[in-house]
Amino acid sequence: MVQSYLRHGPTQAFGVVCSPSSNSVYDGKLAYVPALEDVLVWDVKTGQMMAMWHETGHRAEVTCIEQSPQKGAFAVGYADGSIRIWDALSKSVVATFNGHKRAVTALAFDDAGARLASGSQDTDLILWDVVGEAGLFRLRGHRDQITGLRFLSRYPSTTPSTSTSTTAWLISSSKDTFVKLWDLSTQHCTQTIVAHRAEVWSIGLNAKQDLLLTGSNEGELKAWKVERNALEDGIKETDSGELSKVIHPLSTLPLSSHHRVSGIAFHPILPYLFVQSHDRSVEVFRIRSDEEIRKKHARRKKRANEKAVKGKGDKIHDVVDGDNPDKVELEDLFKPHVIVRATGKIRSFSFPTEVPSKSAAQVCLALSNNAIEVYNVPEPTKAKEVVPEAARLYSLDLPGHRTDIRTISLSSDDTLLASASNGSLKIWNTRTTGCIRTLECGHSVCSTFLPGDRYVAIGTKSGELQVYDLSSSTLVETIKAHTGTLWSLHVRPDQQVLVTGSADKDIKFWNIEWRQAEGESDRKVLSLAHTRTLKMTDDVLSVRYSPNGKLLAVALLDSTVKVFYQDTLKFFLSLYGHKLPVLSMDISHDSKLIVTCSADKNVKIWGLDFGDCHKSIFAHDESVMQVVFEKKSHYFWTVGKDKLLKYWDGDKFENIQKFEGHHSEIWALAVSNFANFVVTGSHDKSIRIWEKLDDPLFLEEERERNLEQLYESGIADTLNREDLPIGSGDPNSETLAQAETTNVSKQTVETLMAGERISEALDLADEELEACQLYEKAKQGLSEKQLAAIQPPPRNPILAAQDIEPEAWVLKVVEGVQNTALQDALLVLPFGKIMSLMVYLNIWARREWNIPLVSRILFFLLKTHHHQIVANRTMRTTLIPLRTHLRTALLRQKSIINYNLAALQFMRRQDDAQRMAQFYEEEGLDEERVLAKIAEGKKRKRVNI
């Protein structure tokens, strides 16, 4: 009989406040921050998590977040090149865009939020239609990662227009040192600027869209003037025959530091410019008004004249007089205002786009050490003596560690989880995943709950043994146990002794004692008393008692494991075979097996009777960091630096399950005392719980599923290759010159499966229609008796079950494909299936079923397969009636839309007339004044919107 196991699955991920993989967005109350593969929504004032945007099965890390002008919509870019449009209200994905081959690094919406531009590490720019859920075109030209995108509107935001399509240009910056201006109407690059000598890391555009700032890797901030007139007039030739340029260099703005300028942003409402040019600070400049600049010029001129009168500065006087009064220097426009200093390294900053209730500006800093801070930018003061300082309003750091989680341990009843890092020990509730306690500690390396679950012992890198009382949240005892790093500690099964192993080559034994609390007769406190020391020849990396309490296993730096009798400490066994040191080990519940894991990527299973090696398994692609047996079984778990958690059968030496989820090396592992779940802690600062499910798991099925996934992803990767000539299997062939503008397409497993579903539906419908035609043909010229003898063909079970016609079934399948994946799914179909689909398009057009979808599919197929369709005369019989039917349906829809538009305009005129009459009645005004007042009201509303 085939053995079955119980499947495990990921259930909880916590401990992450804000991961450093992406930028963050702040709206004045809520912060939308990346948390590895999820997006978290935090209320920064209360410190509560309001929502988690998680898509089941999607594991790619979030790399970019952009808020849409449409309320509640966010574009989120991921490391696998996909972009998802999230709705903040429903916390669900509205659309998924697949077009990039590598991580998305820049996103930008146009003014209306109808179009989205995305840039990636694959150097491509893609423009997406958010409403139509389709890729419009791909732009190529940059030679390195895209770092910034900004749309240029025909009309700056200060002069609103009723025109819906106002965006015609896009500015992009890249690590290739170039800044490019793209004309989106003609889909090509109109200007390329060599902006800096080093990589361009950030760009900023002011509200009037006439000033562009670029920041480089060398800490240089350059300003560029955007000629709005040249944009409106179009690209023209000058007298010398050169093309007119839109972007012109101005000058360089001096910064307080010369680090990489990783962020530039103009405040949308207040006159501030934010520049991040240092790891731990954001520089804020105040933008002077025209009047302030004129006064400054006047004062400068007056001082120069006074110097000239005194005979000290004749030359200065001449220069100032000859200066152009309208010319504004960059130093005059931007005045250094305040420097916002954070407590850690800043990943990104963000501020609310809406008008704040108070005049002071807020800025939200997402830190690289898993924390969020919000600062208040003070208003400018006239007093020169007072130096303005940014005040910290809120800080969100308690629900996560600042550094790597190096050790985790579970209480005896599995309700509490202790996780420790360099500087902090946190206690979590495993059911609610809430952080109950946060305690300061040393550089933790190992930990364990002591008997009674009220105390936690921590071993540190400095060799100290720290004991914490959880009920009072205090450090009870600090013992200088060792002179080297305390790598491992373990409580004896009888709960009486704690053993510690260290890099100082000593193993020490500590009695767990209860003594009377000072000044309190009714309360006892736990203390540790040193009783014995066992000296070893090498550094001790791990110590472990056997569950029967008879043996003590010790892993040494010389790659061996020594087993001693725990009572007499006499030598029993030596286990050697690993090529590199054993980092962790565990002994099974029946004390018959010991499993060891090593930096040589292997796991070895040994018998404790004779010390024989039962099996050596190549377990991970990197060092195996920890191994733990599941309680009351010979199944065990391993974690490694390859970011994987694996589940093994220690009797059959089989890998049962492999879990991907963490985004960095996994340092720590703890298994439930009731074998219900397993907990892992990682360098990515997340803690994940993997629970045992009720689903049975069969090894053969699991292997087949893994092979299928590998095969499907391999097909998709092959279809997406563009670097080699078509039909060439030679990897050394010369790459083809790629066009500047191409269509947006990327095959994924989902699009391949959607194409297969459409192909199967076409086959099923064709067979059904063919059977019906044969039946009708057979009926011709037969008498009534003969007709009664002929049975109609049996209907397909799928069509019969749903009581649906073949053409309706094909439409249902096509409608089931997501809009964003439809074009890629149609590309999978061979030309024979395209001819078959054309027949159904004709039927749908004749019956006026989903005309927008019919039009979209037809136009895409005609554009893609134009050469085959033109060369094939058999298509005429399908295309001519299709043209007639589609034109009729489109004309009918056009007339309906025109009728509705006319009705809406009539209702608007009625509303205007009613408002005018109301004004007449209330205020007794004449018609001209009333019209002026209505126009004024509309204008005011438009500005507010």
Side-chain angles (χ1 to χ4, degrees), residues 819-887:
N819 280 346
T820 50
L822 182 58
Q823 291 186 359
D824 290 325
L826 292 172
L827 286 173
V828 176
L829 300 179
F831 189 66
K833 291 286 184 285
I834 298 296
M835 293 172 69
S836 176
L837 183 58
M838 288 286 192
V839 175
Y840 294 101
L841 288 174
N842 184 27
I843 297 170
W844 302 340
R846 190 178 74 238
R847 299 186 184 181
E848 296 192 16
W849 289 351
N850 203 337
I851 294 301
L853 181 66
V854 172
S855 307
R856 187 180 165 197
I857 293 172
L858 178 63
F859 300 148
F860 177 73
L861 293 179
L862 289 175
K863 189 167 67 173
T864 309
H865 301 281
H866 177 260
H867 295 299
Q868 292 99 315
I869 290 169
V870 171
N872 196 340
R873 292 183 64 83
T874 54
M875 295 291 287
R876 285 172 61 84
T877 53
T878 309
L879 288 173
I880 290 170
L882 176 55
R883 180 180 65 181
T884 309
H885 296 142
L886 189 60
R887 187 169 290 173

Side-chain angles (χ1 to χ4, degrees), residues 37-38 53-59 78 84 86 93 96:
E37 71 270 25
D38 304 328
W53 299 350
H54 174 77
E55 187 172 14
T56 308
H58 188 247
R59 287 192 294 267
Y78 294 86
R84 283 165 174 72
W86 286 87
V93 177
T96 303

Side-chain angles (χ1 to χ4, degrees), residues 12-121:
Q12 301 280 3
F14 55 97
V16 180
V17 178
C18 173
S19 60
S21 59
S22 162
N23 65 307
S24 304
V25 174
Y26 178 59
D27 66 1
K29 184 190 176 188
L30 302 176
Y32 302 85
V33 300
L36 304 174
E37 71 270 25
D38 304 328
V39 175
L40 301 183
V41 184
W42 292 99
D43 185 329
V44 291
K45 190 174 182 180
T46 61
Q48 285 186 323
M49 189 198 296
M50 307 305 289
M52 177 192 277
W53 299 350
H54 174 77
E55 187 172 14
T56 308
H58 188 247
R59 287 192 294 267
E61 211 167 359
V62 174
T63 55
C64 194
I65 303 174
E66 182 70 18
Q67 188 171 11
S68 169
Q70 301 283 345
K71 191 171 181 183
F74 288 82
V76 181
Y78 294 86
D80 61 356
S82 64
I83 301 165
R84 283 165 174 72
I85 308 295
W86 286 87
D87 180 24
L89 297 175
S90 63
K91 304 166 192 169
S92 60
V93 177
V94 178
T96 303
F97 298 129
N98 279 300
H100 291 292
K101 295 176 183 62
R102 296 179 66 190
V104 178
T105 53
L107 291 169
F109 280 98
D110 67 359
D111 292 341
R115 290 193 288 181
L116 171 70
S118 63
S120 165
Q121 286 181 355

Side-chain angles (χ1 to χ4, degrees), residues 58-257:
H58 188 247
R59 287 192 294 267
E61 211 167 359
V62 174
T63 55
C64 194
I65 303 174
E66 182 70 18
Q67 188 171 11
S68 169
Q70 301 283 345
K71 191 171 181 183
F74 288 82
V76 181
Y78 294 86
D80 61 356
S82 64
I83 301 165
R84 283 165 174 72
I85 308 295
W86 286 87
D87 180 24
L89 297 175
S90 63
K91 304 166 192 169
S92 60
V93 177
V94 178
T96 303
F97 298 129
N98 279 300
H100 291 292
K101 295 176 183 62
R102 296 179 66 190
V104 178
T105 53
L107 291 169
F109 280 98
D110 67 359
D111 292 341
R115 290 193 288 181
L116 171 70
S118 63
S120 165
Q121 286 181 355
D122 63 10
T123 76
D124 290 353
L125 292 173
I126 298 180
L127 199 70
W128 305 92
D129 181 355
V130 178
V131 180
E133 296 184 4
L136 298 175
F137 49 85
R138 185 192 302 267
L139 297 170
R140 291 192 171 110
H142 283 293
R143 298 190 175 185
D144 207 336
Q145 174 184 321
I146 311 294
T147 55
L149 295 171
R150 292 292 182 276
F151 275 100
L152 273 178
S153 306
R154 287 188 190 277
Y155 313 98
S157 56
T158 50
T159 56
S161 165
T162 52
S163 171
T164 52
S165 179
T166 60
T167 306
W169 296 278
L170 181 70
I171 298 174
S172 64
S173 66
S174 167
K175 282 189 181 180
D176 60 7
T177 75
F178 296 146
V179 171
K180 287 179 179 281
L181 177 68
W182 305 86
D183 186 338
L184 300 181
S185 55
T186 58
Q187 300 177 18
H188 76 284
C189 177
T190 59
Q191 188 179 349
T192 300
I193 310 152
V194 183
H196 297 267
R197 287 178 299 174
E199 299 169 346
V200 181
W201 270 88
S202 53
I203 56 173
L205 193 65
N206 68 346
K208 293 180 181 176
Q209 297 192 344
D210 59 0
L211 183 66
L212 176 73
L213 297 178
T214 59
S216 79
N217 200 27
E218 292 180 342
E220 193 178 32
L221 183 64
K222 282 188 178 178
W224 309 79
K225 184 171 178 57
V226 181
E227 291 284 353
R228 300 293 313 177
N229 296 334
L231 276 179
E232 304 302 332
D233 298 341
I235 306 299
K236 294 180 181 176
E237 283 191 9
T238 58
D239 297 335
S240 60
E242 293 180 357
L243 292 174
S244 61
K245 292 183 178 177
V246 176
I247 301 172
H248 302 278
L250 283 177
S251 64
T252 303
L253 187 66
L255 297 172
S256 61
S257 67

Side-chain angles (χ1 to χ4, degrees), residues 478-492:
T478 301
I479 305 165
K480 184 63 183 171
H482 296 271
T483 55
T485 304
L486 202 161
W487 284 117
S488 180
L489 45 81
H490 193 221
V491 178
R492 203 166 69 187

Side-chain angles (χ1 to χ4, degrees), residues 488-629:
S488 180
L489 45 81
H490 193 221
V491 178
R492 203 166 69 187
D494 63 4
Q495 311 277 299
Q496 300 296 315
V497 175
L498 175 75
V499 62
T500 60
S502 166
D504 64 2
K505 305 178 184 178
D506 284 355
I507 299 169
K508 293 189 177 180
F509 299 84
W510 310 80
N511 274 1
I512 299 170
E513 299 174 351
W514 295 89
R515 57 180 171 78
Q516 207 75 29
E518 293 179 10
E520 297 180 41
S521 58
D522 58 337
R523 195 168 74 90
K524 288 188 175 182
V525 294
L526 182 144
S527 70
L528 299 174
H530 178 227
T531 55
R532 293 193 290 178
T533 302
L534 175 64
K535 293 193 175 290
M536 305 302 294
T537 55
D538 249 308
D539 294 15
V540 180
L541 298 181
S542 181
V543 287
R544 209 84 192 157
Y545 278 111
S546 62
N548 62 10
K550 292 181 179 178
L551 301 173
L552 173 70
V554 181
L556 301 177
L557 193 65
D558 64 2
S559 309
T560 63
V561 175
K562 302 278 194 290
V563 184
F564 299 88
Y565 292 103
Q566 75 86 19
D567 48 1
T568 61
L569 297 184
K570 281 188 177 178
F571 177 75
F572 173 49
L573 289 172
S574 180
L575 312 177
Y576 55 90
H578 281 291
K579 295 182 179 67
L580 289 170
V582 172
L583 301 177
S584 175
M585 58 188 175
D586 199 17
I587 301 172
S588 62
H589 71 287
D590 53 10
S591 302
K592 288 185 177 177
L593 293 181
I594 179 170
V595 60
T596 59
C597 68
S598 163
D600 63 9
K601 309 172 190 175
N602 288 308
V603 166
K604 290 184 188 288
I605 303 162
W606 317 76
L608 264 182
D609 296 334
F610 308 104
D612 55 322
C613 181
H614 290 187
K615 186 72 174 175
S616 180
I617 304 168
F618 183 75
H620 290 261
D621 294 331
E622 296 286 340
S623 299
V624 189
M625 298 310 297
Q626 206 163 341
V627 59
V628 181
F629 266 108

